[in-house]
Amino acid sequence: MLQKLFTPIQIANMTSKNRLLMSAMSINFGVDENCCVTEQLVEYFVRRAKGGVGMMLVGGGSVHPLGQELPDLPQMYNDDCIPALKDMVQKVKPYNVLFGVQLMHGGRQSYLPEKVGPSAIPAPAVVKGPVRALEIHEIKELVSCFGDSARRCRDAGFDFIEIHGAHGYLITQFLALNSNIRTDEYGGSFENRCRFLFEIIQDIRKKAGADFPVGIRINGNDYIENGWELKDTVRLAPLLETAGIAYLHVSGGVYGSTELTIPSMYTPHGCFVHLAE
């Protein structure tokens, strides 16, 4: 089984030299005062590419100023960010690694004075402060922001993107009943709570192209009362495949969950594998 990790794998129109993906992380450094990539972040990824991983992701790529999870994460919501991103891609590519960006909006888990979400319900832990419920026109704007950000990633030369639909951030907040009590077309039924995500996928495919690979990180279980559960993910997965998603990156937990989203070194390896299975 260990040997198989180092064999190639086909994902959409990409071939990874092995089955190792360096997950996206919000490392909170390596950007300038405008949240554009600096040489510090470039060197960070060049060194990891030299290590031999098949795929890796830039973490915390924010699609909107109000969606910054942490203050010093790379922005994807402005064309001015493209030249620095393109430079980073060009310096990473010689190491035969598939390079992508994880696109996200923090919603009520953003470290910002003004927090937004599907409903005016504060985060259960870590990030404190009131949350304003998004208006319909703002939801439509954010859908468009994801698509525009994906197009910028393609323009910069990245091989793929990953939608962050896990860990209690904005997309998860729409999916879960404990954070979404809307009574319009974005709340209530399973289909309505998933609408935001599928509109994002559709906008990305329209703006970045149907041939541009899009994966999604999704929770197998939120591990919190009235949250998203494994039965929901099992129901969602084939719909995502039909919508053209290239791969599922299965994780778990939100702020305040009973299982840690970032497990400690003492946790047995592969602690979320059963969810992926």
Side-chain angles (χ1 to χ4, degrees):
M1 193 65 180
L2 185 61
Q3 291 178 333
K4 193 172 184 180
L5 282 174
F6 299 97
T7 62
I9 185 171
Q10 185 78 22
I11 299 175
N13 56 12
M14 307 181 293
T15 302
S16 176
K17 64 186 177 186
N18 58 47
R19 295 157 190 256
L20 300 173
L21 178 145
M22 175 185 155
S23 296
M25 293 172 276
S26 298
I27 54 177
N28 206 32
F29 67 70
V31 298
D32 62 19
E33 64 277 5
N34 297 313
C35 289
C36 290
V37 167
T38 66
E39 280 300 314
Q40 183 187 27
L41 196 65
V42 173
E43 181 60 20
Y44 173 88
F45 281 108
V46 166
R47 291 196 182 193
R48 278 141 188 84
K50 288 179 179 179
V53 68
M55 301 172 69
M56 62 184 188
L57 284 154
V58 179
S62 181
V63 301
H64 190 277
L66 287 180
Q68 290 277 140
E69 180 211 355
L70 293 169
D72 293 323
L73 295 178
Q75 62 158 279
M76 304 293 158
Y77 49 80
N78 190 327
D79 283 348
D80 292 343
C81 73
I82 295 175
L85 292 171
K86 187 176 292 186
D87 176 68
M88 181 165 66
V89 170
Q90 291 171 347
K91 289 176 178 175
V92 164
K93 294 304 288 184
Y95 301 99
N96 188 25
V97 58
L98 296 173
F99 199 19
V101 177
Q102 186 185 76
L103 298 179
M104 70 172 295
H105 188 297
R108 68 179 185 176
Q109 290 184 172
S110 297
Y111 284 80
L112 294 166
E114 182 184 0
K115 305 180 203 325
V116 297
S119 302
I121 303 172
V126 184
V127 178
K128 304 298 182 182
V131 177
R132 179 177 62 80
L134 288 161
E135 302 288 344
I136 291 287
H137 71 91
E138 293 176 303
I139 295 172
K140 300 295 185 185
E141 178 189 352
L142 289 177
V143 167
S144 183
C145 286
F146 272 92
D148 291 339
S149 296
R151 187 265 305 165
R152 293 184 186 102
C153 291
R154 181 161 196 169
D155 288 349
F158 286 98
D159 298 295
F160 67 104
I161 60 162
E162 180 178 283
I163 300 168
H164 199 338
H167 301 163
Y169 298 115
L170 185 63
I171 291 173
T172 319
Q173 291 162 31
F174 272 90
L175 295 174
L177 289 167
N178 64 5
S179 47
N180 183 353
I181 56 171
R182 300 180 73 96
T183 57
D184 57 21
E185 63 264 44
Y186 291 97
S189 69
F190 176 87
E191 291 76 13
N192 282 357
R193 287 181 283 116
C194 293
R195 189 182 306 277
F196 181 53
L197 172 57
F198 283 104
E199 287 183 352
I200 287 170
I201 295 169
Q202 184 178 21
D203 202 67
I204 288 173
R205 290 173 66 81
K206 179 176 72 175
K207 293 175 178 174
D211 62 333
F212 189 53
V214 179
I216 179 169
R217 179 181 271 190
I218 192 79
N219 271 1
N221 197 323
D222 285 354
Y223 293 112
I224 197 166
E225 185 178 357
N226 209 25
W228 185 259
E229 297 180 1
L230 184 56
K231 61 180 175 62
D232 301 313
T233 312
V234 170
R235 184 177 177 184
L236 179 65
L239 302 177
L240 291 171
E241 184 178 21
T242 300
I245 290 297
Y247 68 84
L248 302 180
H249 184 170
V250 181
S251 189
V254 301
Y255 288 0
S257 60
T258 57
E259 299 291 330
L260 293 176
T261 295
I262 306 174
S264 80
M265 62 184 290
Y266 305 106
T267 304
H269 289 182
C271 61
F272 294 137
V273 167
H274 66 288
L275 300 176
E277 287 174 338

